[in-house]
């Protein structure tokens, strides 16, 4: 019996070992190699293309003027709507014109009196000159007449100057647009005293939007490369100013706005190692406003038959 139990134990152990071997064989991973990599093949193209200098810049108004009161008085009227586009010469503000009109009329009256005095002095001079020739009066009398005539002419010149000054001041009572542009919101109210302070009272600001500037900077390496290319092509400074410049806004695709280079500084900024450059672009539809952040590109050279 003891021998029979031992044989049974051996058989059970052998069966367990065989079962474990089969289980181990079922769990073993088999290596599968990855598929070959996908390779794209393209035929190189041979064509000409343009190399561009690309930069970032900002738009700026070509004209931006503060409208100020050049005479003292109470603001009588505001003759435009805030933010309106106005043409050159449009009346924008009126500053108490009556006082200055009276001063102009006063100066004109004084000028008329001075003219009468000159005519009288001239006639007296001629009369005394004839009398001296006939020896009817002394030379001293003629000298007095000559002096009176000269003083009268001097007074007339002074009166004419006063009339011109009065006319200029009267003209300043009507503040007009110096050029076509958009006028900002008014900074003073009707009935307010203006022109009495120093600096002069600012009334509003007018900004010209067409054309418009774009300012950007070119680094030193690009400056050297462009100058070398210009020398190779025999271009002058005037030719460089005619290079096209293209810009695009943040929300636009490509560079739809086109103009020309207008200015390049004579020296580099040593602090930044860049050269300030400016372009000018037409802006009839006023799509560009001063202060916009824009993308800029300028064609530098043309590469022929490149792969």
């Amino acid at each position: 019996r003891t021998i029979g139990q031992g044989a049974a134990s051996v058989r059970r152990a052998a069966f367990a070992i065989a079962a474990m071997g089969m289980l181990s064989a079922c769990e073993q991973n088999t290596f599968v190699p990855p598929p070959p990599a996908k390779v794209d093949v393209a035929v190189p193209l041979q064509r000409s293309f343009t190399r561009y200098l690309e930069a970032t810049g900002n738009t700026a108004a070509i004209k931006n003027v503060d409208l100020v009161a050049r005479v003292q008085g109470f603001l009588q009227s505001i003759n435009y709507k805030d933010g309106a586009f106005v043409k050159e010469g449009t009346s924008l503000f009126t500053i108490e014109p009556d006082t200055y009109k009276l001063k102009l009329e006063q100066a004109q009256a004084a000028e008329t009196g001075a003219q009468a005095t000159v005519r009288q002095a001239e006639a007296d001079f001629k009369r005394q000159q004839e009398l001296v020739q006939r020896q009817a009066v002394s030379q001293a009398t003629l000298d007095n007449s000559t002096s009176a005539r000269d003083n009268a002419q001097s007074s007339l010149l002074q009166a004419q100057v006063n009339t011109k000054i009065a006319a200029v001041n009267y003209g300043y009572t009507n503040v007009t647009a110096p050029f076509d542009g958009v006028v900002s919101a008014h900074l003073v109210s009707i009935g307010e005293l203006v022109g009495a302070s120093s600096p002069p009272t600012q009334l509003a600001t007018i900004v010209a939007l067409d054309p418009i500037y774009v300012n950007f900077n070119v680094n030193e390496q690009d400056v050297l490369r462009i100058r070398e290319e210009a020398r190779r092509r025999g271009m002058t400074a005037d030719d460089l100013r005619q290079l096209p410049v293209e810009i695009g806004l943040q929300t636009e695709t490509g560079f739809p706005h086109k103009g020309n280079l207008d200015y390049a500084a004579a020296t580099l900024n040593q602090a930044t190692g860049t050269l300030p450059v400016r372009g000018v672009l037409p802006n009839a539809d006023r799509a560009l406003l001063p202060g916009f952040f824009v993308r800029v590109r300028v064609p530098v050279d043309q590469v022929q038959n490149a792969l």
Side-chain angles (χ1 to χ4, degrees):
R1 182 179 178 184
T2 302
I3 295 173
Q5 291 178 346
S9 297
V10 171
R11 287 196 298 271
R12 286 197 297 269
F15 177 78
I17 292 172
M20 291 179 63
M22 292 176 63
L23 182 62
S24 176
C26 291
E27 293 180 351
Q28 183 177 2
N29 293 328
T30 304
F31 173 76
V32 178
K38 182 180 178 181
V39 178
D40 292 331
V41 179
V43 179
L45 299 178
Q46 185 175 18
R47 65 181 182 181
S48 300
F49 71 96
T50 302
R51 280 202 186 103
Y52 290 95
L53 167 68
E54 297 193 1
T56 57
N58 293 93
T59 53
I62 197 168
K63 296 177 185 177
N64 188 332
V65 173
D66 292 334
L67 302 172
V68 299
R70 303 183 68 175
V71 291
Q72 180 177 336
F74 293 98
L75 188 65
Q76 181 171 300
S77 65
I78 300 174
N79 310 318
Y80 75 99
K81 293 183 178 180
D82 293 352
F85 176 80
V86 298
K87 302 292 289 183
E88 179 180 353
T90 301
S91 177
L92 303 177
F93 299 91
T94 303
I95 304 172
E96 197 178 7
D98 293 342
T99 301
Y100 293 94
K101 184 178 180 181
L102 292 174
K103 289 181 179 180
L104 174 59
E105 292 173 350
Q106 184 181 37
Q108 290 171 338
E111 182 180 350
T112 301
Q115 290 173 346
T117 302
V118 167
R119 288 193 296 269
Q120 181 182 3
E122 187 68 30
D124 183 69
F125 169 75
K126 292 180 179 179
R127 184 168 53 252
Q128 297 300 329
Q129 197 174 36
E130 293 175 358
L131 292 174
V132 166
Q133 290 176 355
R134 295 200 303 265
Q135 297 183 348
V137 296
S138 64
Q139 181 65 38
T141 303
L142 177 60
D143 292 342
N144 290 335
S145 179
T146 303
S147 177
R149 182 201 62 178
D150 293 344
N151 287 332
Q153 291 176 341
S154 177
S155 298
L156 175 59
L157 290 175
Q158 182 64 50
Q160 291 172 338
V161 170
N162 291 338
T163 300
K164 291 179 180 179
I165 293 174
V168 169
N169 288 333
Y170 179 56
Y172 287 156
T173 63
N174 182 30
V175 180
T176 61
F179 47 79
D180 297 353
V182 176
V183 190
S184 71
H186 59 277
L187 303 177
V188 292
S189 301
I190 294 176
E192 186 174 346
L193 179 65
V194 298
S197 60
S198 181
T201 308
Q202 183 176 347
L203 307 175
T205 300
I206 182 170
V207 181
L209 299 179
D210 183 27
I212 194 168
Y213 285 141
V214 56
N215 296 308
F216 57 100
N217 294 300
V218 180
N219 65 57
E220 184 174 353
Q221 291 183 351
D222 286 333
V223 171
L224 294 173
R225 181 163 58 89
I226 293 172
R227 288 172 63 88
E228 179 62 30
E229 178 65 18
R231 281 193 294 267
R232 186 183 68 81
R233 295 165 58 182
M235 299 176 64
T236 65
D238 291 336
D239 295 331
L240 288 174
R241 291 191 186 96
Q242 297 303 315
L243 282 176
V245 58
E246 304 171 358
I247 72 169
L249 299 176
Q250 300 270 356
T251 56
E252 293 177 332
T253 301
F255 301 82
H257 308 281
K258 305 182 187 303
N260 293 94
L261 286 182
D262 174 66
Y263 165 79
T267 59
L268 267 75
N269 185 331
Q270 292 185 347
T272 61
T274 59
L275 183 75
V277 181
R278 185 181 70 196
V280 60
L281 301 93
N283 190 33
D285 57 356
R286 299 199 288 277
L288 303 174
L289 295 179
F292 274 172
F293 179 82
V294 295
R295 297 171 289 108
V296 185
R297 75 174 186 180
V298 179
V300 176
D301 61 358
Q302 186 77 20
V303 180
Q304 303 292 335
N305 298 325
L307 289 178

